[in-house]
Amino acid sequence: MRQAHATHRPLRIAQAITEIERLPNLRLVGEVKGAYGITIEADGLERHLAVGDRCAVETRRGQQMLCEVIGIRDGRGLLMSYQDLGGVGVGCPIIVLDRGIVVRPNRGWLGRTVNGLGEPIDGKGPLPSGPLAYPLRSSPPPAFFRRRVGKKLDVGVRAMNALLNLCQGQRMGIFAGSGVGKSTLLGMMARYTNADVVVIGLIGERGREVQEFLASELGEQGTARSIVVVSTSDEPPLMRRQAAYLTLAVAEHFRDQGKQVLCLMDSVTRFAMALREIGLAAGEPPTTKGYTPSVFAELPRLLERAGPGVDGTGDITGVFAVLVDGDDHNEPIADAVRGILDGHLILDRAIAERGRYPAINILRSVSRTMPACNTEQEAALVRRVRQLLATYEDMADLIRIGAYRRGTDPKVDEAIAYFDRIDGFLTQRKDEHTNLTASYELLARLVAAPPGGVVGKEPPR
């Protein structure tokens, strides 16, 4: 126990230093020299501004507009606002703020919905404050002191529990185009997981879908132990970026309390798009598909914050949705994120179109903690199912056009006979829950039973 406290002590020291650094300072005031697009030029503060500092612009409408320094150009600070630039004009005062954005989560945040700055937006009153301040941007625990991923995490989804395990502290990506069922799958995981706390970041979501997700996908059961961070697609890029940072900051708080945290984010792609807007406004050169170099530097900084904790803390199990552009799973953001995470689920539009949900393509999906987390019997069962699916898929075109004849290949005959059973196992309603043990037992009975069904049946179109 003494060693655990010693390992955990640097985190506490870092938080104390952060508090001291945010003590009030002198009031520094500059002025607006120009405003164009989504940026503001600040003058008179060149010796005091640094990238990442926060400022307040006093607009001609008598309002204070929160801004952040996103760059320095020709001796002037480039600011970006957290809201619309209406009312900003030349000569408007710019005040350097004393404190950075921090949050103080506690258990009273459970069941609440907040914006990217940690302010409540659910109409349920103010949020209670915890004793420790957490900066929105922080570093992950030192790699050398992090534990290895833990035991399997039950998420209630048969396809994942049996064939694509998610372990405590693992980071998994859900890769799919629009309308293929990412939000529904995330909602199922939030409702049925056995994690202690669920932190959900809805980044760049459509405004109308927020209430639908909370009421329909998450429901009362999921909401009770969840904290939802929301930044809709119409909000400025800084708010969308901050919402992603806040999601991880809240997850880190509960991890430090020793909790097993499931962190769900939809989507990393919209976080990257917000970073692209910020980078282009700051003058960065566009590279692949217009994304700036800072986007690819920032992605690992965000995603590495999830993962196993150190001794004396819990873990953050991360599931990050990636909206693939034009169903191209090799587009730049998908390719970069896939290389950072510990596995990926591919949601296939063709599978969704024939009515099987969740539309997980088992053969194209990988969990990098398998088979190490499985027993020999479980690993053999998974291999058996994957072999049947692979054999079927290899011959699917021939079966569809009637070119394959029964008896040509015993392995293909067997795969066809088992296909409907496996497909039925992978199909699951969003209000249906199957735990880890039941998932393996059901799959074992399915494969052990003699093959049935109509041999030579065409695959679903």
Side-chain angles (χ1 to χ4, degrees):
M1 181 64 70
R2 183 174 302 169
Q3 183 179 0
H5 284 302
T7 306
H8 194 46
R9 192 174 298 127
L11 296 176
R12 302 294 186 186
I13 294 174
Q15 289 169 341
I17 293 173
T18 301
E19 290 285 330
I20 294 171
E21 289 176 344
R22 290 189 175 88
L23 291 175
N25 206 335
L26 296 175
R27 179 180 171 91
L28 302 172
V29 180
E31 65 177 18
V32 173
K33 279 299 182 183
Y36 44 90
I38 54 177
T39 57
I40 299 170
E41 272 197 2
D43 194 24
L45 295 169
E46 56 274 4
R47 295 185 179 275
H48 304 287
L49 290 182
V51 174
D53 285 353
R54 290 195 313 147
C55 302
V57 176
E58 295 184 355
T59 72
R60 291 179 177 172
R61 298 173 182 173
Q63 301 172 330
Q64 278 208 348
M65 179 182 296
L66 182 62
C67 299
E68 182 176 312
V69 181
I70 62 169
I72 307 292
R73 182 189 299 161
D74 299 329
R76 290 179 176 172
L78 294 179
L79 313 183
M80 182 175 285
S81 173
Y82 285 89
Q83 57 199 84
D84 182 76
L85 294 188
V88 175
V90 174
C92 286
I94 300 175
I95 304 166
V96 179
L97 300 180
D98 296 323
R99 299 174 62 87
I101 300 177
V102 296
V103 290
R104 296 175 178 270
N106 66 9
R107 289 194 60 83
W109 285 38
L110 295 176
R112 302 298 301 272
T113 304
V114 301
N115 66 10
L117 300 178
E119 301 165 342
I121 57 174
D122 52 11
K124 297 180 181 179
L127 290 169
S129 293
L132 292 177
Y134 281 75
L136 266 61
R137 301 182 69 170
S138 63
S139 300
F144 184 80
F145 294 103
R146 295 187 104 164
R147 296 189 300 271
R148 299 181 64 181
V149 294
K151 61 183 182 180
K152 297 175 187 176
L153 184 70
D154 188 353
V155 293
V157 180
R158 284 194 296 268
M160 295 183 64
N161 277 348
L163 299 171
L164 294 161
N165 299 124
L166 185 64
C167 294
Q168 293 175 351
Q170 186 178 352
R171 298 165 304 157
M172 183 79 81
I174 299 179
F175 294 74
S178 57
V180 188
K182 295 186 302 300
S183 297
T184 300
L185 180 57
L186 291 173
M188 292 172 68
M189 297 172 66
R191 283 200 306 274
Y192 303 133
T193 182
N194 62 356
D196 300 318
V197 176
V198 181
V199 183
I200 304 170
L202 301 180
I203 315 301
E205 279 290 329
R206 303 174 185 88
R208 68 165 184 83
E209 289 186 342
V210 173
Q211 283 294 350
E212 290 180 11
F213 180 85
L214 294 174
S216 179
E217 309 298 346
L218 194 57
E220 293 184 7
Q221 178 182 353
T223 301
R225 56 173 174 172
S226 299
I227 300 164
V228 183
V229 182
V230 174
S231 180
T232 54
S233 59
D234 61 315
E235 293 188 271
L238 278 182
M239 286 293 285
R240 283 177 270 144
R241 187 199 68 179
Q242 295 297 83
Y245 291 152
L246 176 61
T247 302
L248 269 299
V250 174
E252 287 164 345
H253 163 77
F254 286 100
R255 175 203 64 196
D256 292 347
Q257 302 302 309
K259 304 295 184 183
Q260 289 297 326
V261 182
L262 177 61
C263 179
L264 309 175
M265 185 177 294
D266 186 10
S267 69
V268 174
T269 305
R270 295 189 177 111
F271 167 73
M273 289 177 176
L275 292 177
R276 177 172 61 183
E277 292 179 50
I278 296 169
L280 291 174
E284 281 191 76
T287 54
T288 310
K289 285 202 172 182
Y291 288 102
T292 57
S294 62
V295 174
F296 300 99
E298 197 63 34
L299 282 173
R301 293 189 190 120
L302 177 78
L303 300 176
E304 283 289 348
R305 292 170 65 179
V310 299
D311 290 340
T313 70
D315 305 306
I316 301 175
T317 306
V319 179
F320 302 93
V322 179
L323 180 64
V324 295
D325 187 12
D327 286 341
D328 177 12
H329 289 264
N330 293 317
E331 58 92 21
I333 299 302
D335 199 42
V337 172
R338 190 165 49 243
I340 298 169
L341 300 180
D342 308 317
H344 52 270
L345 299 179
I346 302 296
L347 300 190
D348 195 320
R349 189 176 299 277
I351 294 176
E353 286 172 348
R354 64 178 172 84
R356 196 250 279 171
Y357 290 96
I360 301 174
N361 188 320
I362 300 297
L363 297 178
R364 294 180 61 195
S365 302
V366 173
S367 172
R368 294 180 184 169
T369 60
M370 294 176 63
C373 65
N374 284 338
T375 64
E376 291 184 8
Q377 294 81 4
E378 291 168 346
L381 178 61
V382 172
R383 284 196 302 271
R384 168 79 167 142
V385 173
R386 293 182 74 95
Q387 288 168 356
L388 288 169
L389 287 174
T391 301
Y392 185 88
E393 290 298 327
D394 286 344
M395 300 297 293
D397 289 340
L398 294 179
I399 299 169
R400 182 177 293 113
I401 63 175
Y404 178 78
R405 292 292 178 263
R406 177 182 178 179
T408 304
D409 187 334
K411 290 185 177 180
V412 176
D413 293 343
E414 183 185 38
I416 294 172
Y418 276 109
F419 180 80
D420 283 345
R421 291 184 181 185
I422 297 173
D423 200 59
F425 173 83
L426 297 175
T427 303
Q428 185 172 343
R429 301 188 313 271
K430 69 178 183 180
D431 59 350
E432 187 181 356
H433 168 225
T434 308
N435 62 32
L436 271 168
T437 303
S439 297
Y440 279 113
E441 290 176 350
L442 181 59
L443 189 60
R445 289 199 303 269
L446 180 153
V447 176
V454 180
V455 176
K457 180 182 178 181
E458 284 193 3
R461 296 183 184 271

